[in-house]
Amino acid sequence: MTLRATLAGTAVGLPGVGPDAARYNVALAYLEAYAAPRLEGVELSRTELPISLDRPAFAAGTAERLLARDPEVLGISSYCWDVDAFADVLAEVRHRSPRTKIVLGGPTATFSGREILEQSSLVDVAVLGEGEETLVELLRGGISKPETVAGILFRDEHGRVQGGAPRLPMDLASLVSPYASGVLAPPKRNLMLEGSRGCFYRCKYCAWKNFLGALRHVPDATLRRDLEWAREHGYEHAFLLDSAINFDDARLGALGAMMRDADGQRGLQFSYFVSHEHLDDAQLSAIDGVPTHELYVGLESIERGALRGIGRPPVDLAGFERKLAGLSRIGPVVVSIILGIPGDTLDGFERTLDYVAGLVERRLAARARVFWMIVPAGTWFSERRAQFGIRTAPRGAPYLLACDSFPPEQLAAAFRYVFTHPARKHLLYDDASPARYLPGLEDLAPLGVG
């Protein structure tokens, strides 16, 4: 007898992003590519639900989409921007199909799964951490015997939450390409490739990288096969999904060679993150000649209080600028900063913004990207909301609306400073419109995004 299972996740729309750069749920595709060939007697389907950071709710008829194949198991991959939208639609799913087992995955399950299971009957199982191996075990029969599956939370026959034993991080050599397997065919300008899991940093505003433990690289052979597939299928741009590509010198050398070889004079360009703290001349040489669309460098702030707040050391600005000069010879550099860091102030943020605008003027950077501080479950800041006086948006992404060092009126003033800055044409902003949550900003024209 065939078991019907549907995987669902969100495709997040960003302001001003055209169809060639449209977002898609690559994590969901990796899950399907890994699980499908390992499951006999399972009819596995995948659906992506569009959602906007400005309007964190699903369109009418979403429950019907999720139930279109009459799934016995519905797997949901969720993060902070869609948790409220899923809570709304799962109530309707539960009403329409009470027999469907609902499995929650993604960071929402990892960091809020116990609370969700204790407070709501909408979810039957919460998956902790990486989901590939757990999904296979659940669909092989573990959904009816959850006590046999590691890395999950579930309710027993008495309604008590059980489980929670961690699953060891998976061997990334066993990953299956969603592209070569035919699961996913993204736009030619927007191929996303997973190069690693985990992170060297332990930033206080981040949760999921910390949970994944030590940095693990996808094997060179796996990544090389995906790059060959991209070249053979005429792809023009690939985004490497690494927290930074230069934490390991040997890996960087191999990666630089792969990216140069993959281009083959056919126009395949790459976007990737670089840690300025680790960068040196040898690393610059390793990526010299890589066909680069954009390099992303996270500065976050130049203020000691803000950097201390997020767990970063002070920045040697002269050294930082020398590194940017080297990176700018390889490709266009985008420097990112964060608005609303607990420990930062309005004056401090304005100094940071003026500094990165000056980098653009001096051609050490092509553009600057401003991120609005979010405080997701599982982060160091989320666990210390009272200590910092943190208040966040009530629905959708948990954008910081106020903290002790950044009261709401000063946060609004910081946004006005961004959106009216003399260098605004060089500033990028992808988050929700600040006017959605902060009154008095309705007159601000959107920044250009590209």
Side-chain angles (χ1 to χ4, degrees):
M1 185 174 179
T2 299
L3 175 73
R4 295 180 304 279
T6 294
L7 303 178
T10 52
V12 183
L14 304 178
V17 173
D20 285 346
R23 293 301 190 266
Y24 54 92
N25 198 310
V26 69
L28 210 63
Y30 271 99
L31 279 174
E32 182 182 352
Y34 180 88
R38 291 171 166 81
L39 295 171
E40 293 184 6
V42 176
E43 181 184 300
L44 187 62
S45 61
R46 183 181 93 258
T47 185
E48 293 188 6
L49 306 173
I51 195 171
S52 167
L53 294 177
D54 272 333
R55 294 181 55 82
F58 295 134
T62 295
E64 287 84 349
R65 284 190 61 185
L66 295 178
L67 294 173
R69 297 178 180 268
D70 190 24
E72 295 157 86
V73 178
L74 175 61
I76 301 294
S77 177
S78 171
Y79 195 35
C80 60
W81 45 70
D82 57 36
V83 60
D84 298 306
F86 271 124
D88 293 341
V89 78
L90 289 182
E92 187 175 354
V93 167
R94 180 66 83 195
H95 174 72
R96 289 171 176 262
S97 183
R99 68 181 182 80
T100 297
K101 295 290 186 180
I102 298 176
V103 178
L104 181 67
T108 298
T110 297
F111 300 111
S112 304
R114 182 172 293 277
E115 177 184 354
I116 290 171
L117 285 171
E118 289 175 344
Q119 297 181 3
S120 170
S121 62
L122 295 180
V123 172
D124 298 296
V125 173
V127 175
L128 307 179
E130 293 171 311
E132 284 90 349
E133 294 172 332
T134 305
L135 176 65
V136 169
E137 290 186 17
L138 286 170
L139 296 182
R140 280 177 173 170
I143 194 69
S144 59
K145 298 179 180 180
E147 68 278 3
T148 66
V149 181
I152 66 169
L153 296 168
F154 62 95
R155 280 188 297 273
D156 63 19
E157 64 273 17
H158 304 293
R160 297 179 299 231
V161 177
Q162 303 288 352
R167 179 183 291 276
L168 292 175
M170 68 180 295
D171 181 0
L172 296 187
S174 64
L175 284 178
V176 178
S177 167
Y179 310 113
S181 63
V183 167
L184 189 62
K188 298 295 186 184
R189 293 285 303 162
N190 193 26
L191 178 66
M192 291 189 282
L193 298 176
E194 189 170 29
S196 66
R197 292 184 181 179
C199 186
F200 180 87
Y201 289 123
R202 293 293 180 266
C203 299
K204 295 177 180 177
Y205 55 78
C206 182
W208 68 271
K209 291 189 177 73
N210 297 352
F211 182 83
L212 291 174
L215 180 65
R216 291 170 293 143
H217 296 295
V218 171
D220 290 352
T222 303
L223 191 54
R224 187 176 292 109
R225 284 194 297 270
D226 270 347
L227 292 175
E228 290 172 354
W229 179 91
R231 182 175 61 185
E232 291 169 0
H233 288 78
Y235 274 78
E236 303 168 16
H237 175 248
F239 197 125
L240 296 182
L241 301 177
D242 296 82
S243 50
I245 67 169
N246 64 317
F247 289 139
D248 180 272
D249 289 351
R251 168 67 169 180
L252 182 65
L255 191 56
M258 276 190 280
M259 289 191 287
R260 284 189 293 268
D261 292 345
D263 174 43
Q265 305 301 314
R266 298 188 186 186
L268 176 62
Q269 293 187 312
F270 296 88
S271 293
Y272 46 93
F273 292 90
V274 172
S275 164
H276 67 86
E277 293 173 341
H278 292 77
L279 190 66
D280 57 24
D281 289 342
Q283 291 194 345
L284 285 170
S285 296
I287 56 174
D288 188 29
V290 168
T292 298
H293 177 68
E294 283 182 328
L295 304 100
Y296 302 103
V297 177
L299 177 62
E300 320 315 357
S301 177
I302 63 170
E303 297 296 305
R304 286 179 176 266
L307 291 169
R308 184 168 55 249
I310 61 176
R312 293 283 189 91
V315 180
D316 170 11
L317 295 183
F320 178 68
E321 292 169 18
R322 286 194 298 272
K323 294 173 182 181
L324 287 188
L327 289 173
S328 295
R329 291 191 289 270
I330 294 169
V333 178
V334 178
V335 177
S336 66
I337 61 174
I338 300 175
L339 192 162
I341 297 173
D344 202 0
T345 63
L346 174 60
D347 288 343
F349 175 76
E350 290 179 349
R351 283 192 290 271
T352 295
L353 182 61
D354 289 343
Y355 174 72
V356 296
L359 295 176
V360 175
E361 183 178 350
R362 294 159 55 197
R363 299 187 177 181
L364 292 173
R367 291 182 291 184
R369 174 168 265 116
V370 180
F371 288 108
W372 189 352
M373 179 78 183
I374 63 171
V375 188
T379 62
W380 190 88
F381 281 123
S382 181
E383 296 166 356
R384 293 163 176 79
R385 286 171 176 260
Q387 177 182 339
F388 292 94
I390 292 172
R391 182 166 60 86
T392 57
R395 280 185 64 87
Y399 291 113
L400 185 138
L401 301 184
C403 65
D404 290 341
S405 69
F406 237 130
E409 64 275 7
Q410 291 190 14
L411 193 72
F415 272 111
R416 184 165 293 280
Y417 195 72
V418 171
F419 280 74
T420 61
H421 198 277
R424 66 185 308 277
K425 68 179 180 180
H426 300 299
L427 303 180
L428 304 176
Y429 178 79
D430 289 338
D431 286 302
S433 168
R436 176 176 174 82
Y437 299 108
L438 299 170
L441 300 179
E442 293 80 8
D443 61 313
L444 297 181
L447 294 177
V449 177

